[in-house]
Amino acid sequence: VSDEENWYCECPKLYTGKLCQFVTCDENPCGNGATCFPKSRRDAVCLCPYGRSGILCSDAINITQPSFSGTDVFGYTSFLAYSAIPDITTYYEFRLKFQLANHHSALQDNLIFFTGQKGQGLNGDDFLELGLRNGRVVYSYNLGSGTATIISKPLDLTLNVHAIHLGRNLQKGWLKVDDQKNKTVTSPGRLVGLNVFSQFYLGGYHEYTPELLPKGPRFKNGFQGCIFDVQVRTSLHQGFKPPGTPEGHPNSGRSVGQCKGSPCSLIKCRNGGKCIETGSTVYCDCLTGWKGAFCTETVSVCEPEHDPPHLCQQGSTCVPLPDGYTCNCPLGTTGTYCEQG
């Protein structure tokens, strides 16, 4: 499926991945609505939903300051989704604080929040979004007649916590970052209302790829670090409130951890396996020859993951021996590897 220069694959059942290259989790071991992803032909990784952690997402975690891990090795972003924010057509103000996980990749091209018309990727789609690009905060909105964008000065990386305050009244928008000067912009065209129906996404997207978003925002990666104290108001006479119904409660999320928490501290990978954590999602990356959730099972010489692979040919069956293996040949073939007719 393509829209001009962008494309993505719609995978048939049981297949997943950007190129539909992975055979999915036939017997899905993941619990609690986790996204199952095949780490190899035999092993799955569970990308945990909001409020869950652990290898099979069976541990409940309390999240007061969500931490996001950007885009994981499987191409998914960690995110929270809150119910659509009502009444932001003519006026809104947002406040939030964030902490960066690492200054190298966390500042390149990372989404902080997004709400908008999704699924078409057309230039006229209304949206509101905030992100980081090349070390600066980028705030954009489109009321349907063109995009308005404000770019801050570079962030002061000696600060541990950054604060953002932004707003919009009809076509006029403004952004204040840390103690930088307030910057303003006016959106082009004649339209004055923001019409968005999607949920309010924090830190990333629900979709596998950002290609389905309007052309304006398209930050390639999710946020890396913690975002907290998110508050919104939709009129000058209101108090600020956290998003969500009930307030402060997301509808859904994926691979979101608690800031400063480490799921790897709770599990032990064996046989040289390395613990990998992305938000609340955690798994063991095993050395060659080992498999299983904790790298405790050996890869048999006959299994497809074995390195080097076995050489049995033409539908023959590989049978492990104490030292090596033999090939059981089907009728009509012979030779060590059943390679001769």
Side-chain angles (χ1 to χ4, degrees):
V1 182
S2 81
D3 74 50
E4 290 163 40
E5 76 278 15
N6 291 294
W7 57 270
Y8 59 98
C9 298
E10 275 182 6
C11 301
K13 236 178 145 142
L14 295 182
Y15 287 84
T16 182
K18 176 108 177 160
L19 305 172
C20 307
Q21 72 270 47
F22 297 106
V23 182
T24 17
C25 311
D26 306 338
E27 298 119 27
N28 181 353
C30 307
N32 299 300
T35 303
C36 181
F37 203 90
K39 180 169 71 165
S40 67
R41 283 191 197 158
R42 300 288 174 94
D43 279 340
V45 171
C46 304
L47 309 180
C48 296
Y50 175 69
R52 292 279 169 176
S53 182
I55 291 249
L56 298 176
C57 305
S58 47
D59 310 334
I61 53 169
N62 182 31
I63 294 173
T64 53
Q65 293 191 342
S67 83
F68 302 87
S69 47
T71 307
D72 65 24
V73 293
F74 309 110
Y76 285 97
T77 54
S78 57
F79 76 93
L80 289 178
Y82 295 86
S83 52
I85 296 168
D87 312 323
I88 61 172
T89 314
T90 54
Y91 183 93
Y92 58 72
E93 268 183 87
F94 285 90
R95 292 199 301 221
L96 62 88
K97 297 192 176 109
F98 68 87
Q99 238 172 330
L100 296 167
N102 65 60
H103 288 149
H104 175 62
S105 57
L107 285 161
Q108 304 301 317
D109 193 1
N110 306 77
L111 180 81
I112 299 174
F113 71 61
F114 169 84
T115 182
Q117 295 173 4
K118 294 210 327 274
Q120 302 305 316
L122 303 172
N123 287 330
D125 288 348
D126 286 26
F127 66 82
L128 153 65
E129 49 96 38
L130 181 71
L132 296 169
R133 201 167 265 141
N134 303 327
R136 300 162 187 260
V137 175
V138 180
Y139 161 39
S140 295
Y141 57 91
N142 189 338
L143 309 179
S145 54
T147 301
T149 299
I150 304 178
I151 301 175
S152 77
K153 288 189 167 142
L155 287 172
D156 175 355
L157 300 181
T158 62
L159 295 173
N160 187 24
V161 175
H162 300 277
I164 292 180
H165 192 177
L166 63 87
R168 189 193 116 250
N169 185 16
L170 301 173
Q171 289 181 297
K172 291 199 179 333
W174 53 270
L175 168 71
K176 175 139 181 61
V177 175
D178 297 330
D179 50 11
Q180 297 181 15
K181 275 204 345 230
N182 197 13
K183 292 182 105 169
T184 59
V185 71
T186 302
S187 59
R190 308 174 91 165
L191 297 176
V192 295
L194 177 70
N195 300 298
V196 298
F197 315 106
S198 84
Q199 301 185 92
F200 178 73
Y201 288 92
L202 192 66
Y205 323 99
H206 183 266
E207 284 88 5
Y208 188 59
T209 47
E211 264 93 76
L212 299 176
L213 300 182
K215 286 214 166 35
R218 288 209 189 155
F219 284 93
K220 295 228 175 13
N221 298 305
F223 189 79
Q224 292 174 298
C226 306
I227 304 176
F228 43 95
D229 298 350
V230 180
Q231 294 182 310
V232 59
R233 67 176 178 180
T234 51
S235 112
L236 268 171
H237 316 295
Q238 266 183 0
F240 277 91
K241 294 193 296 213
T245 318
E247 271 172 39
H249 288 265
N251 296 342
S252 65
R254 176 176 57 224
S255 297
V256 171
Q258 168 67 353
C259 202
K260 314 248 188 306
S262 166
C264 274
S265 61
L266 303 173
I267 71 163
K268 195 105 186 82
C269 305
R270 307 284 177 188
N271 301 306
K274 194 164 135 224
C275 182
I276 308 283
E277 57 185 37
T278 54
S280 59
T281 293
V282 61
Y283 64 95
C284 292
D285 194 18
C286 306
L287 289 178
T288 303
W290 297 95
K291 61 173 187 168
F294 299 99
C295 309
T296 48
E297 302 160 47
T298 53
V299 176
S300 138
V301 67
C302 285
E303 285 179 47
E305 289 93 336
H306 191 269
D307 192 12
H310 69 78
L311 301 172
C312 300
Q313 293 179 23
Q314 307 198 38
S316 60
T317 311
C318 175
V319 180
L321 298 175
D323 51 350
Y325 62 95
T326 183
C327 304
N328 275 355
C329 301
L331 204 61
T333 65
T334 183
T336 314
Y337 305 116
C338 314
E339 73 279 12
Q340 299 163 23

